[in-house]
Amino acid sequence: LDTLELIEVRFSPVFLENSGLHDFTFEITQTNSGQDNFPDNNSASLKVASAHDGLISGSIDFSQIPVDWIIRNPDDSITWKLADAPGNGVDNQALFLNFFNYELNGVGEFDLFISPVLDFSGVIFAEVSFKVAYAGSSSNYPEGLIVGISRDCGNTVDPADIPYQKFGNSLSTRSSTTNEFIPNSPSDWRTEVINLSEFS
């Protein structure tokens, strides 16, 4: 190569048997001709996490509130609870927040459902998915659902760390109603998928 000339070199794929971070070092061992006057730039290192590394999988069936999750109810009013929510089967249970009966003084309140600490270090791709069922009301105060990431164990959530927020019509899975909404079929639910890779 001439001075400042570039070339892209591709290597054969390498299968990584073990999960975790892997160190690769690339080194120029021979020059085309003559002596290498700049040997200090002949190597480069790279850390690679195998694609199957760091898989955190699991699900919550909501037959009971998981012991390692926390419900925080700052106004000591209506908050998250378990409820029958027929979906794929009549025995389906879901986490439920009764917006319909939430007192007017609940406007602007947040009721939190906080996960245990999740460690995404070394994870290449992370996502969370859940099903939601919601029918909006004609209220002037749009109800909503926010998924936020806290970097200090749930004490605060920076607005920049909110990968999901939907309110009113954008949250709805059914048309608005003036009555209390209880899902009763699979068509009442929508699956939401949130990419969390930026928090790896």
Side-chain angles (χ1 to χ4, degrees):
L1 298 176
D2 292 332
T3 302
L4 300 180
E5 187 179 357
L6 300 175
I7 188 171
E8 181 178 301
V9 179
R10 293 180 178 263
F11 297 92
S12 300
V14 175
F15 178 74
L16 304 174
E17 287 189 30
N18 300 319
S19 63
L21 287 175
H22 303 271
D23 292 310
F24 287 92
T25 300
F26 303 88
E27 185 175 3
I28 295 173
T29 59
Q30 183 178 357
T31 58
N32 291 345
S33 62
Q35 183 176 346
D36 186 350
N37 294 323
F38 301 100
D40 293 343
N41 67 358
N42 286 0
S43 65
S45 296
L46 181 68
K47 283 190 179 293
V48 177
S50 56
H52 56 282
D53 176 51
L55 179 62
I56 302 171
S57 63
S59 62
I60 303 173
D61 65 8
F62 292 118
S63 58
Q64 61 184 7
I65 299 286
V67 295
D68 51 352
W69 288 66
I70 299 167
I71 292 176
R72 191 170 292 163
N73 180 16
D75 64 353
D76 292 321
S77 183
I78 292 172
T79 194
W80 295 105
K81 68 175 189 175
L82 295 179
D84 292 332
N88 291 325
V90 294
D91 297 329
N92 188 57
Q93 296 264 132
L95 194 64
F96 167 69
L97 187 56
N98 189 344
F99 286 127
F100 185 76
N101 291 312
Y102 214 113
E103 290 89 349
L104 185 59
N105 64 6
V107 173
E109 292 292 336
F110 288 86
D111 288 86
L112 308 176
F113 186 56
I114 304 171
S115 77
V117 173
L118 301 174
D119 182 1
F120 289 166
S121 58
V123 175
I124 294 174
F125 179 79
E127 71 178 18
V128 63
S129 65
F130 56 90
K131 291 186 178 182
V132 61
Y134 173 77
S137 67
S138 57
S139 168
N140 292 327
Y141 307 103
E143 301 144 347
L145 180 63
I146 296 172
V147 175
I149 307 298
S150 174
R151 298 175 189 267
D152 59 2
C153 299
N155 294 307
T156 60
V157 174
D158 188 298
D161 293 338
I162 297 177
Y164 175 96
Q165 56 181 330
K166 290 189 177 178
F167 298 89
N169 290 336
S170 65
L171 181 62
S172 293
T173 60
R174 303 295 289 171
S175 57
S176 297
T177 178
T178 56
N179 300 314
E180 184 172 12
F181 168 67
I182 299 173
N184 59 25
S185 75
S187 64
D188 289 338
W189 298 87
R190 178 181 67 236
T191 298
E192 301 280 26
V193 180
I194 308 169
N195 187 333
L196 300 178
S197 296
E198 67 179 283
F199 301 101
S200 296

